Amino acid sequence: MSEEAAPVTYIVTPVRLEYDHSAGNAATLFLRGLAQRKIIGTRTGPGQPVLVPPRGADPRTAELALEAVEVSDKGTIVSYSIVRVPSENIHFELPYVCINILLDGADVPFFHVLQNCPLDEVRIGMRARAHWVPDEQLAPTIASIEYFEPIDEPDVPFDRIREHT
Amino acid sequence: MRDVAIVSFAQSNTAREDRNEVEILIPVVQEAVKRSGLPRGEIGFTCSGSSDFLQGQPFAFVMALDGVGAWPPVKESHVEMDGAWALYEAWVKIQTGEVDSALVYAFGKTSSGDVAEVQALQLDPYCVTPLWPDADSIAALQARLYLEGSARTERDLADVAVRSRRDAMDNPHAVASGATDAETLLAEPYRCSPLRDHDCPMTSDGATAMVIVAGDLATRLSERPVWIRGIDHRIDPPALGVRDLSRAPSAERAASRAGVLEAPVDFAEIDAPYTHQELILREAFGLSDGVRINPSGGSLCARTLMSSGLNRIGDAALRIARGEGDRALAHATQGPCLQQNLVCVLEGE
């Protein structure tokens, strides 16, 4: 086929748009907390579930959840996966473990990465704690927590975390 | 056809919001649901309109569901359109007989990005978007054609702005308002000739919510339900070169199908983001000079993208509910240069 008759199958049209985001009230509480080595969740009011990371609403009631509640940086692993697929965005050495961790004081699990744990030892019910970046690197970003790592505490029985798994 | 009425409406518009979309949405949805008199759990269908391009986040609309009550799971749908089209889908859903009521909502946080530039992404992705024409420039091409082909002048455009801003003084949800005159406005420099700042919309962040219900339920819930007597939407070709930009044939057709011409209207709420578009639409709708246009101040004075069309319908409904008119035309637009148009006819009892 001559070049004139060949279909154009490829064009480059770069799209660049800049956004100036405001995180919103709930996410601002959470992000500011991380800069102070704290994990802040929110709830709609006393006795209501503590949601972390908070997005501003309790999805079960569709009410504003803006009351700040500090939760622990320790928690119980309620699910995990061992990741063997590389990604340009991930700097952890393969394979690594991603976890859903129920932080003490929170009512929904929190997603992060587990390190310093042999792969055959990770399990549901295992206790772990956040490993923070050095103080001078703390900032309002989830990257203030580098990863979670196991701590020497007894496992939480499955029955006590069943509803979160 | 089933009779369907608007029984409640709420909105919020602000020049720039620091709250996230869910935080903006919740009070508005709560107000609309409360005013409807229907418990949230009894509303049969939920439909929304929004665009992820405004936030620059994929599936931003899914996050919004946290704010409207999706537990236990609800029947829900979304259109990447102004909320007026979500209203249309909800109206159709009620027509099918599957549900008797629906919550319709829309939201947009336009201040996060350069909204005039973001709208370039709705144009032909191969031949037009790569040139990055902003929305005001595209509208200005239309304004030029309209002025050249009619007896209208830039003074007529300024008159639309003067009237809109004056009327917006009575609307707490308007973002731009104030008393001014055409001479003052015409002394200002062009933004994209022939358009000046006053000819272009005051973009805003906000949300809108509305509850619509079928016949008997409407009369039980509301002393003066606002009936949707007709609703229709039509579309013109997207390419800017293949249609006469100085007209809006799809608006004309939608108005005719919605039954606008069957009886005079007391007022009209027209979603005309640019001053010249109001004039084009008045002609498309065949509105006489005596018909009051945009008593709310219109989309020129608060344009929360994805919400502003639904706001026109809601503003018209509130006005009828208050008894300040019995029959109104309400309109929403989407796309460049009035490409897509939705018209509904609202009536009090």
Side-chain angles (χ1 to χ4, degrees), chain B residues 256-272:
Chain B
S256 161
R257 300 278 300 191
V260 170
L261 303 172
E262 287 164 18
V265 295
D266 298 321
F267 69 96
E269 280 285 343
I270 298 176
D271 183 20

Side-chain angles (χ1 to χ4, degrees), chain B residues 101-335:
Chain B
S101 57
L103 167 67
V104 179
Y105 69 91
F107 60 93
K109 201 168 156 183
T110 54
S111 69
S112 300
D114 180 339
V115 70
E117 201 165 69
V118 169
Q119 289 175 84
L121 291 172
Q122 69 184 331
L123 303 168
D124 176 334
Y126 303 106
C127 300
V128 185
T129 300
L131 300 169
W132 289 96
D134 66 90
D136 298 335
S137 310
I138 295 285
L141 293 178
Q142 182 184 38
R144 175 79 65 199
L145 275 172
Y146 175 70
L147 292 179
E148 295 284 328
S150 71
R152 302 284 197 174
T153 63
E154 290 173 22
R155 165 84 195 211
D156 293 303
L157 306 189
D159 285 342
V160 169
V162 170
R163 191 209 67 232
S164 300
R165 289 185 187 192
R166 190 186 58 228
D167 285 338
M169 290 166 74
D170 296 328
N171 179 1
H173 299 291
V175 173
S177 66
T180 183
D181 56 59
E183 284 71 27
T184 309
L185 295 181
L186 289 170
E188 295 292 319
Y190 289 116
R191 181 186 291 192
C192 301
S193 73
L195 301 179
R196 297 176 173 83
D197 284 351
H198 66 256
D199 295 308
C200 304
M202 177 62 79
T203 54
S204 50
D205 296 347
T208 306
M210 177 183 280
V211 175
I212 62 169
V213 304
D216 290 350
L217 187 54
T219 43
R220 276 215 311 278
L221 290 172
S222 177
E223 277 178 27
R224 185 173 158 85
V226 178
W227 300 102
I228 300 171
R229 292 297 186 209
I231 183 167
D232 195 81
H233 68 93
R234 299 281 151 169
I235 185 167
D236 280 309
L240 297 170
V242 301
R243 62 187 169 107
D244 177 357
L245 293 179
S246 66
R247 292 180 53 235
S250 59
E252 207 170 306
R253 177 71 65 89
S256 161
R257 300 278 300 191
V260 170
L261 303 172
E262 287 164 18
V265 295
D266 298 321
F267 69 96
E269 280 285 343
I270 298 176
D271 183 20
Y274 295 87
T275 49
H276 67 276
Q277 293 180 341
E278 178 187 307
L279 302 178
I280 292 174
L281 288 164
R282 285 170 75 142
E283 289 167 21
F285 298 148
L287 295 176
S288 67
D289 285 344
V291 175
R292 186 165 181 199
I293 309 292
N294 289 350
S296 68
S299 305
L300 206 54
C301 295
R303 191 186 189 208
T304 298
L305 223 70
M306 315 318 281
S307 262
S308 61
L310 189 58
N311 283 346
R312 299 288 69 76
I313 297 168
D315 280 332
L318 285 184
R319 202 170 174 80
I320 290 177
R322 288 197 303 266
E324 296 169 26
D326 293 319
R327 189 167 197 269
L329 176 159
H331 159 263
T333 195
Q334 190 93 67

Side-chain angles (χ1 to χ4, degrees), chain A residues 116-149:
Chain A
N116 302 333
C117 177
L119 295 182
D120 57 357
E121 286 183 18
V122 60
R123 61 201 177 269
I124 289 174
M126 186 183 205
R127 299 282 293 162
R129 176 173 217 158
H131 178 93
W132 298 82
V133 296
D135 276 356
E136 63 277 11
Q137 289 173 33
L138 286 171
T141 158
I142 189 68
S144 287
I145 299 174
E146 273 188 287
Y147 50 80
F148 281 73
E149 58 193 346

Side-chain angles (χ1 to χ4, degrees), chain A residues 11-28 54-66, chain B residues 16-20 22-23 26 30 53-57 63 66-71 109 112-113 117-118 121 125-126 130 132:
Chain A
I11 59 167
V12 178
T13 62
V15 172
R16 179 186 169 81
L17 290 166
E18 288 200 13
Y19 290 88
D20 176 16
H21 275 287
S22 45
N25 295 331
T28 295
R55 293 216 307 262
D58 184 333
R60 284 178 287 191
T61 61
E63 287 170 20
L64 284 173
L66 293 174
Chain B
R16 184 181 168 100
E17 279 278 6
D18 284 331
R19 296 180 292 173
N20 71 21
V22 171
E23 291 164 351
I26 286 178
Q30 285 177 341
F53 285 98
L54 296 182
Q55 282 132 297
Q57 286 175 14
M63 300 235 193
D66 279 0
V68 297
W71 184 262
K109 201 168 156 183
S112 300
E117 201 165 69
V118 169
L121 291 172
Y126 303 106
W132 289 96

